[in-house]
Amino acid sequence: MATPNVSFEVFPPRNVDAAFNLWDTAQALAPLAPRFFSVTYGAGGTTRDLSHDAAHVLRRTSGLPVAAHLTCVGASRAETLEVADSFAEIGVTDIVALRGDPENGADTFTPHPEGFADSCELIEALAAKGKFNIRIGAYPDSHPEAADMDANVQWLKRKFEAGADEAITQFFFEPESFLRFRDACAAAGIDKPITPGILPILSWKSARKFAIRCGTTIPAWVDEAFDAAVRDDRHDLLATAMCTELCDTLICEGVENLHFYTLNKAELTRNVCRALGVTPEVAVRDVA
């Protein structure tokens, strides 16, 4: 089995304890030589300053590439591009460009009156600056607002045509979800890299709730397996085995890059990476 390249997503801390969790997570995972750390934006851009600060500190302390999330929500075009430029000023030129979730728990996305109408407009504006590597989101189980899978794939194609360089998918539970999606994208003429997003399940209750919200298919066997694992106090064992098997199958199908949603907890992600052969890089001293 080939050893994959990995990257990790973290979210900005809102208090001192959360800050320690984030830095501990980064310190534990940085030795695995990730392609990048991505730092999320809160719903409605609510953590804009926190995201900026977290990206800055991660970049400065780890020396690794950092990809900052940027959304269309709650800001004018000028304000959004000002945030992008502020990231570039601190050496963060990788952007994950997203539409963003509706504000204040609304059912539908409403653009800011002077803002970007959708992610394609944001991507075009970022690409025009000529200084960003632009990543985007993709949905292997189809976006909840897409009419069907074809519409889902065509929208992704539009985002690539707008100037995106790579897509990172929403998480999924079965490798077939990603493999079918990858085939559909190739058939539609998409030739840019699509990296599967992997969620090591720290809490089945929380993961299930989030899966429903973002339209991720929940196979019956996964529900049943976690119900039994929680009852028998072996949740983490199942989560590690299931995540490792998912990644192993993807690698065997030619996937080279994996992006892990860490939820600012390193242990389960690190265990899965070790099982896949991703181990800390250790500098060898010349003792001669």
Side-chain angles (χ1 to χ4, degrees):
M1 178 182 71
T3 302
N5 304 306
V6 297
S7 53
F8 306 115
E9 180 174 292
V10 296
F11 58 82
R14 291 179 179 270
N15 55 50
V16 173
D17 287 342
F20 281 118
N21 284 339
L22 171 57
W23 310 135
D24 287 347
T25 297
Q27 187 175 37
L29 297 177
L32 300 182
R35 296 169 63 215
F36 59 90
F37 282 100
S38 67
V39 181
T40 67
Y41 235 40
T46 52
T47 64
R48 181 175 296 138
D49 292 340
L50 294 173
S51 297
H52 181 279
D53 292 345
H56 189 191
V57 174
L58 268 178
R59 174 63 180 153
R60 189 179 71 242
T61 58
S62 74
L64 294 166
V66 174
H69 285 214
L70 189 62
T71 75
C72 304
V73 177
S76 68
R77 289 171 177 252
E79 289 169 334
T80 301
L81 294 179
E82 183 179 350
V83 173
D85 288 336
S86 74
F87 281 126
E89 288 172 3
I90 60 174
V92 176
T93 55
D94 283 35
I95 296 290
V96 181
L98 307 166
R99 187 197 69 178
D101 296 327
E103 292 184 271
N104 303 319
D107 293 331
T108 58
F109 171 79
T110 301
H112 186 283
E114 298 175 359
F116 294 105
D118 54 45
S119 56
C120 284
E121 288 191 0
L122 173 59
I123 294 161
E124 287 175 349
L126 291 172
K129 286 182 171 289
K131 59 185 177 184
F132 294 110
N133 180 50
I134 305 169
R135 294 183 173 90
I136 53 177
Y139 285 75
D141 285 319
S142 195
H143 192 282
E145 297 174 28
D148 52 32
M149 179 56 78
D150 182 62
N152 182 53
V153 170
Q154 290 303 318
W155 184 251
L156 177 62
K157 186 175 182 180
R158 283 186 59 192
K159 291 195 284 186
F160 276 124
E161 291 170 348
D165 300 290
E166 178 183 356
I168 301 171
T169 77
Q170 185 55 270
F171 71 91
F172 49 91
F173 295 111
E174 295 182 307
E176 292 78 13
S177 293
F178 176 80
L179 298 174
R180 284 192 296 264
F181 177 67
R182 185 181 66 175
D183 290 346
C185 289
I190 295 174
D191 58 4
K192 295 287 183 70
I194 300 174
T195 297
I198 307 298
L199 178 69
I201 298 172
L202 299 172
S203 163
W204 174 238
K205 182 179 179 180
S206 297
R208 194 182 194 285
K209 182 178 180 180
F210 189 63
I212 292 172
R213 192 172 73 192
C214 65
T216 299
T217 300
I218 304 174
W221 71 266
V222 175
D223 241 342
E224 295 166 0
F226 272 104
D227 284 347
V230 170
R231 185 176 60 247
D232 298 338
D233 195 26
R234 49 187 181 84
H235 176 285
D236 289 355
L237 181 62
L238 173 63
T240 303
M242 194 175 83
C243 189
T244 302
E245 183 177 3
L246 171 65
C247 294
D248 179 66
T249 301
L250 293 173
I251 294 166
C252 290
E253 291 290 341
V255 170
E256 297 178 351
N257 302 318
L258 300 171
H259 184 71
F260 290 88
Y261 298 113
T262 71
L263 303 181
N264 289 15
K265 301 289 185 182
E267 185 176 4
L268 184 52
T269 294
R270 185 171 54 186
N271 289 346
V272 171
C273 286
R274 284 174 173 169
L276 298 172
V278 181
T279 54
E281 291 192 348
V282 178
V284 178
R285 293 188 301 162
D286 185 357
V287 295

